[in-house]
Amino acid sequence: AQKLFASIPPTTKLDSPTVSAMMTALIAHQQYAQALQVYRTHDSLWCDVSHKLALKACIHLEDRAQGECIASRLSVLSSNDVKRSLVHFYAHFGDMQSVQELLDTISMADKQNDVVLMSMVMKMWNRAQQFR
């Protein structure tokens, strides 16, 4: 995948799906640092998918600082999909205050209809109870 990505001529205009596909391939092969490098290199092509993949790479690398840098660039108007990734990121690092702040920006109807989000929230709550 890296050879294919590198073989794209410099005159070819890349797009967000191409960058996201490369990041996906790198993450699938546990090349998290390289995925973050692709993310940083192509900042003009960032999209919801690339943000989510970059946060996933940060979790695998245990790189909270890089993830928080990414999170700081995201708006409270981000899609619920991106917010779900942020919830997962913050929960992974035990930052329940940030998780709560994010959950407060998601409507109750969206929370109730988002099975993945509610499953994550329940796992986080159970985990937090274990440490009390």
Side-chain angles (χ1 to χ4, degrees):
Q2 287 176 312
K3 288 179 184 177
L4 178 63
F5 195 68
S7 73
I8 298 173
T11 55
T12 302
K13 184 172 169 55
L14 294 177
D15 58 9
S16 295
T18 303
V19 171
S20 296
M22 182 60 196
M23 291 178 67
T24 299
L26 290 167
I27 288 171
H29 291 89
Q30 300 176 352
Q31 297 181 9
Y32 308 113
Q34 294 88 333
L36 279 177
Q37 182 59 39
V38 169
Y39 175 80
R40 286 189 297 266
T41 301
H42 300 285
D43 59 339
S44 65
L45 299 175
W46 287 344
C47 63
D48 283 359
V49 174
S50 61
H51 294 314
K52 290 170 27 182
L53 291 168
L55 289 167
K56 184 175 185 175
C58 290
I59 289 169
H60 284 284
L61 291 170
E62 295 293 328
D63 190 345
R64 183 176 183 165
Q66 180 67 36
E68 287 180 346
C69 184
I70 293 165
S72 72
R73 295 184 197 117
L74 302 176
S75 162
V76 293
L77 301 176
S78 293
S79 70
N80 283 348
D81 223 18
V82 171
K83 288 178 184 177
R84 185 185 309 128
S85 292
L86 284 166
V87 165
H88 185 216
F89 170 79
Y90 286 125
H92 176 80
F93 290 103
D95 184 349
M96 300 312 283
Q97 180 178 346
S98 293
V99 168
Q100 185 60 55
E101 289 170 4
L102 273 167
L103 291 175
D104 289 345
T105 69
I106 300 173
S107 75
M108 184 55 75
D110 284 343
K111 283 183 219 175
Q112 291 171 339
N113 291 325
D114 192 331
V115 175
V116 173
L117 179 64
M118 293 313 296
S119 174
M120 273 195 296
V121 169
M122 292 305 295
K123 285 179 185 176
M124 290 180 299
W125 186 83
N126 287 334
R127 188 171 156 200
Q129 296 303 309
Q130 291 175 352
F131 294 107
R132 286 187 173 187

